[in-house]
Amino acid sequence: MLDFLFAQYSTYPTYEIALELTAILFGLWSVWAAKKNSLTVFPTGLINTAIYVYLLWKWNLLGDMLINAYYVGMSIYGWIIWSRKDDQHNELAISRMQPKEYVHAMLLFIAAALFVVLIYFIFGKFTHWTTYLDTFVTGLFFVGMWLMARRKIENWLFWIAGDLISIPLYFAKGYTFTSIQYLIFTSIAIYGFIEWKNILNNRLQAS
């Protein structure tokens, strides 16, 4: 069983395995911080995504690399937005998406998916069924990260959908540790949605 799950790592350099495990650790920390509505979601997420940008470039997974490069930029953006306070020193509050944001989310999803399709065509990467799923997952995660940066509760729904697809996707690609990471991400994201929903409902009741 262990050979079936982890045999592919026998050919990996030790430092790549160490980097992947380090990235997973910070990724789990980041998602847990997001669940707790904590600003530390962004610095921990930056470390996670920066490591993955390097690893995915080494593994020649361009679509996944682009997703994580986008996360780096959005983590900085989200860190700035979450740190802002209004005149009463209140932080950006958790809220629901507005109608125009649904339109923006759909446009972002389409743009992200088309961008990955273009990159894969340019580099001749449409050689495996996983690359087709990559385009769809990229769109989900792009929208999820954008909504998280804006503290919209619906971000969790996009993360959950993308995480569920990523579990078998990364296992099929041969990255079992990362597949397990997404399994844990899914559980935390479900609890994150519930926790954010309670925070939002309590705030609305108080107002």
Side-chain angles (χ1 to χ4, degrees):
M1 185 63 176
L2 289 177
D3 285 343
F4 175 71
L5 291 174
F6 302 106
Q8 71 273 14
Y9 287 99
S10 63
T11 59
Y12 287 9
T14 302
Y15 81 92
E16 285 190 9
I17 298 174
L19 280 175
E20 185 178 0
L21 291 173
T22 301
I24 289 170
L25 175 64
F26 278 97
L28 293 172
W29 186 356
S30 179
V31 175
W32 184 261
K35 172 185 174 295
K36 305 303 290 184
N37 195 28
S38 169
L39 187 63
T40 54
V41 58
F42 295 112
T44 52
L46 272 171
I47 296 172
N48 166 267
T49 53
I51 293 173
Y52 266 114
V53 166
Y54 171 74
L55 288 176
L56 292 165
W57 172 74
K58 290 280 291 183
W59 297 338
N60 204 27
L61 297 173
L62 298 178
D64 305 271
M65 184 193 75
L66 290 170
I67 294 173
N68 282 271
Y70 165 80
Y71 288 167
V72 171
M74 288 302 294
S75 291
I76 296 171
Y77 169 75
W79 199 346
I80 293 171
I81 295 297
W82 281 35
S83 299
R84 287 179 180 171
K85 300 181 187 297
D86 59 22
D87 293 339
Q88 284 75 44
H89 302 288
N90 296 317
E91 296 178 342
L92 177 69
I94 295 171
S95 62
R96 297 189 182 276
M97 292 173 66
Q98 299 301 309
K100 66 178 181 180
E101 289 173 318
Y102 282 99
V103 176
H104 294 162
M106 180 167 292
L107 292 175
L108 178 58
F109 176 88
I110 294 171
L114 289 177
F115 180 67
V116 174
V117 167
L118 177 63
I119 294 297
Y120 279 175
F121 268 121
I122 291 174
F123 290 95
K125 295 296 180 182
F126 277 113
T127 57
H128 195 267
W129 65 266
T130 57
T131 56
Y132 294 92
L133 269 183
D134 276 340
T135 61
F136 183 73
V137 173
T138 298
L140 291 175
F141 283 157
F142 267 48
V143 175
M145 188 66 191
W146 175 67
L147 291 175
M148 175 171 283
R150 299 174 68 84
R151 238 172 188 152
K152 300 296 179 178
I153 192 172
E154 291 84 357
N155 84 86
W156 291 111
L157 302 179
F158 286 89
W159 288 121
I160 292 168
D163 290 343
L164 285 171
I165 297 171
S166 294
I167 295 167
L169 187 61
Y170 273 93
F171 183 76
K173 291 177 181 181
Y175 304 108
T176 304
F177 288 131
T178 299
S179 177
I180 293 171
Q181 171 190 242
Y182 278 104
L183 176 62
I184 301 172
F185 278 176
T186 303
S187 300
I188 298 175
I190 292 170
Y191 284 107
F193 176 75
I194 294 170
E195 191 155 333
W196 277 38
K197 187 176 181 181
N198 290 334
I199 293 172
L200 178 60
N201 288 340
N202 290 337
R203 182 173 60 83
L204 292 176
Q205 290 173 4
S207 62

